[in-house]
Amino acid sequence: MNELVYMDNAATTPVAKSVRKAMSVFFRDEFGNPSSLYSTATTARKEGLERSRERISDFLGAKQEEIIFTSGATESDNLAIKGVALSRDESAHFITTEIEHHAVLHAFEWLEDRGHEVTYLGVDEDGLVDPADLRKSLRDDTALVSIMYANNEIGTIEPIGELADITAEKGVLFHTDAVQAYGKFPLDLGNVDLLSASGHKIYGPKGVGFLYRRKGVKLEPLFHGGGHEKGLRSGTENVPGIVGLAEATELMAEEQNEEIPRERKLRDKIIEEVLNIPDSRLNGPNKNRLPNNANFSFKGIEGESIVMKLDNRNIAASTGSACSSPSLEPSHVLLSIGLPLSLAHGSLRITLGRETTEEDVEYLLEELPEVIEELRRASPLSN
Ligand SMILES: Cc1ncc(COP(=O)(O)O)c(C=O)c1O
């Protein structure tokens, strides 16, 4: 059988060799606690923690003190959303979208349980937020708008620059979950006040990420302790992880110009050929789409069965959002773009990465039509 053909890079990515190498120094040789005073610790602080902060802030066009290291984007999202709410004396109004990651949606539900009000903006059939809807929803008591940069399931890239400008006109804070966009293409920080990113989606380690917080934005910490990260995130910093995140960021930046068109070309080939399968559809937009993302629905079959059958053929892909698997709930994103339940259950997400080859794509395109046909033959639903 073929070696593993990994097509689930939106779920996670393999750690790059140079990232692993950069990290390894800080596990053993320079293992000091960056808060201690002796020289090993100073190296961990200067060469590990602060040098990484500098590399990441340079990439983003931010100031060093605007980067708060966290345990990943789930924490960054929670810190941004709850941190803004908790910094205020009174209940407030918040705006987000129906297609956010659960790290955002569940944080907002938590706020609703505590007396805050949340407006969930709908999206069009491509997953795009209408800037006019945002404008209409802003109120005098709106504290924060949170809209993702790019959707993890259907790859829609939202017009973040424009949405953040509208929000800024009203003096309201703007947060974006940029997990799927960070490192993949140049980001527009513009009027963005808070931005979440994660290491493991860009060939860095799991369990590390950051929140960009524009200088001056009021935020209440969620963790209390030694006052690390300017008091916003107590807890000894994960120095090897942070070094890995910075190294991974720079690698992404170096490769962007070649890698984006390469992945887009492979992705477009997949879309063109998969749409030849009868009763298939592409979910998400043709334009304004992450270059590595393709998401399909196949009438009459369950997404889970497709994923399992592909797995038997050594192809790793996902259905719905990998983060909510193995839940058998239909994807909230696909329902939000107007898909009926039957199609929302039958989705397949293919996300390419740096290690995806043309041969991998050929192999997928050989196997997938057979898998769909087999499942349709076996399915009572398909008639
Ligand atoms: C859009 C989005 N936000 C947040 C997360 C959570 O990131 P982490 O795994 O770093 O907590 C993910 C991961 O799947 C994601 O795709």
Side-chain angles (χ1 to χ4, degrees), residues 156-287:
T156 311
I157 301 172
E158 300 294 345
I160 290 302
E162 186 181 353
L163 297 168
D165 287 351
I166 292 171
T167 308
E169 272 172 36
K170 290 269 188 184
V172 171
L173 296 175
F174 190 91
H175 166 248
T176 184
D177 174 336
V179 168
Q180 298 290 342
Y182 180 71
K184 309 272 172 65
F185 56 88
L187 298 187
D188 178 6
L189 262 191
N191 274 315
V192 170
D193 298 295
L194 296 153
L195 177 145
S196 306
S198 178
H200 71 107
K201 311 288 183 173
I202 57 162
Y203 313 92
K206 295 173 181 60
V208 66
F210 69 84
L211 179 68
Y212 158 80
R213 179 195 62 138
R214 183 191 298 288
K215 200 170 170 210
V217 169
K218 259 175 78 186
L219 215 54
E220 190 63 24
L222 305 183
F223 293 3
H224 300 92
H228 306 78
E229 299 297 290
K230 301 226 171 325
L232 286 168
R233 203 283 185 181
S234 284
T236 303
E237 298 87 349
N238 170 6
V239 179
I242 288 166
V243 167
L245 172 62
E247 180 71 22
T249 298
E250 264 181 24
L251 260 183
M252 292 297 280
E254 277 166 24
E255 283 191 356
Q256 259 177 15
N257 289 344
E258 282 109 62
E259 194 51 23
I260 294 173
R262 194 190 76 87
E263 288 181 21
R264 186 180 287 127
K265 197 165 151 219
L266 292 177
R267 191 272 316 268
D268 287 347
K269 183 177 165 120
I270 294 175
I271 292 180
E272 197 186 317
E273 297 220 5
V274 171
L275 290 181
N276 289 329
I277 298 176
D279 287 325
S280 59
R281 61 161 272 148
L282 176 71
N283 300 318
N286 289 313
K287 278 197 321 189

Side-chain angles (χ1 to χ4, degrees), residues 281 283 297 299 330-331 334-335 337-346:
R281 61 161 272 148
N283 300 318
S297 283
K299 203 171 148 200
S331 144
L334 296 180
L335 293 179
I337 63 170
L339 253 63
L341 267 180
S342 55
L343 285 179
H345 269 298

